[in-house]
Amino acid sequence: MTTRIGVVGAGFIAGRHVESLTALDGVAVAGVADPQADRARTLAERAGATAYGSWQDLLDGQDLDALYVCVPPHQHGAVEEAAVDAGLPLFVEKPLATDLPTAERLAARIEAAGLLTAVGYHWRYLDTLEQARGLLADAPPRLLLGAWLDKAPNVPWWARQDQSGGQTVEQATHLLDVGRVLAGEVAGGFATGGRSPDGPGDVLDVCTASLRYESGAVGTFSNSCVAPRGYRIGVQVVAPGLGLELTEHELRITDAAGERTVPRKADPIAVEDAAFVAAVRGEGDDVRAPYAEALRTHRLAVAVAQAAVDGGTVQL
């Protein structure tokens, strides 16, 4: 049987998911909804789907097996609640929201409904991250250094704090999530940030957090959106006798044998989508960031972002 999927949102990340979903056997993207009619139509044509002007019309017009929600952070909420009401398995792109109360409310509803969910922390599907975890099994991390140094994305909502949640919540959340995968839960820390005339909109254009993990490891995570391009995006790890640097594309390893670079073998978004579809079909159980798990990272990102405004402690 064909697995019919609806996609809410027709931006860049929605296009990435449509590309991988349409490459899967037995999967059809049935409809694409976006209030920008030209974007919805363009992405729908790529997928052989029907275009809709709203997610309500998509849900009313299609018999779906699952729903992808790929909307800007401030638009999360009502569409997920409608999916819960309909009992639709739900894939949600990160971040879960601009704030914490919205995500907490949705998490409670999802848990009560027992709904199958996945969240787009696609770095978890990097084969290089799995290799890093294997190397760290006998040498637990002592220090993590994360950096997301980039320019601001060219979309109107991104530079508005009330619409994106800021760079820590919208982008650096991937790094904080990798830190949780490799070093465990964060016990506390502090953060500071700032804005300058050169920064976009009203978001912090620099932020640094120093975190202490329950395992005893410590980590520093920094982000900026005033760089000329994305020139440093990744996480470095220091462990006894081992140094690692993970990016979305490769893993650099330093150990007693020397230095070597291992490129990733597969597109993590494609692997992530295949895993979610398999779970929807009841043919697999490799969803690595269900909503409740993603909420833990979102709590951390929001706590760091809030602390950075006034240079305060990270309250978890």
Side-chain angles (χ1 to χ4, degrees), residues 109-306:
R109 291 209 59 195
I110 287 167
E111 182 180 7
L115 195 67
L116 171 65
T117 58
V119 176
Y121 283 107
H122 64 271
W123 285 49
R124 290 189 177 222
Y125 288 88
L126 287 166
D127 52 89
T128 46
L129 178 58
E130 289 302 297
Q131 184 171 353
R133 292 183 69 184
L135 292 169
L136 292 167
D138 297 322
R142 297 295 299 138
L143 177 68
L144 293 87
L145 302 174
W148 195 294
L149 310 179
D150 202 350
K151 64 179 182 180
N154 187 28
V155 289
W157 52 265
W158 196 90
R160 292 185 53 176
Q161 181 66 31
D162 63 340
Q163 294 191 3
S164 70
Q167 188 182 21
T168 298
V169 169
E170 210 285 316
Q171 289 182 324
T173 186
H174 278 299
L175 308 182
L176 296 171
D177 191 64
V178 167
R180 289 187 56 241
V181 170
L182 296 179
E185 300 300 337
V186 170
F190 62 91
T192 190
R195 293 183 58 237
S196 72
D198 298 314
D202 64 348
V203 299
L204 297 180
D205 56 47
V206 290
C207 173
T208 292
S210 293
L211 305 176
R212 182 181 68 261
Y213 290 84
E214 293 176 358
S215 64
V218 296
T220 297
F221 293 84
S222 300
N223 53 265
S224 175
C225 55
V226 293
R229 63 187 64 83
Y231 77 94
R232 181 173 296 175
I233 300 173
V235 178
Q236 294 173 295
V237 183
V238 178
L242 180 66
L244 304 174
E245 183 171 0
L246 178 75
T247 72
E248 193 173 346
H249 303 284
E250 63 186 20
L251 174 67
R252 289 188 281 276
I253 304 168
T254 301
D255 57 17
E259 297 184 2
R260 58 195 182 278
T261 299
V262 181
R264 76 181 192 195
K265 296 179 181 178
D267 176 1
I269 291 181
V271 180
E272 171 186 62
D273 287 335
F276 177 65
V277 169
V280 169
R281 291 172 170 171
E283 298 173 351
D285 185 21
D286 190 26
V287 173
R288 302 181 188 181
Y291 202 96
E293 168 64 13
L295 180 59
R296 293 178 177 270
T297 296
H298 187 64
R299 286 172 180 153
L300 175 58
V302 170
V304 168
Q306 290 176 341

Side-chain angles (χ1 to χ4, degrees), residues 9-11 32-43 51-54 72 75 155-157:
V32 175
D34 195 291
Q36 296 185 43
D38 57 336
R39 294 206 316 176
R41 184 169 53 252
T42 298
L43 187 55
Y52 295 90
S54 71
Q75 293 180 5
V155 289
W157 52 265

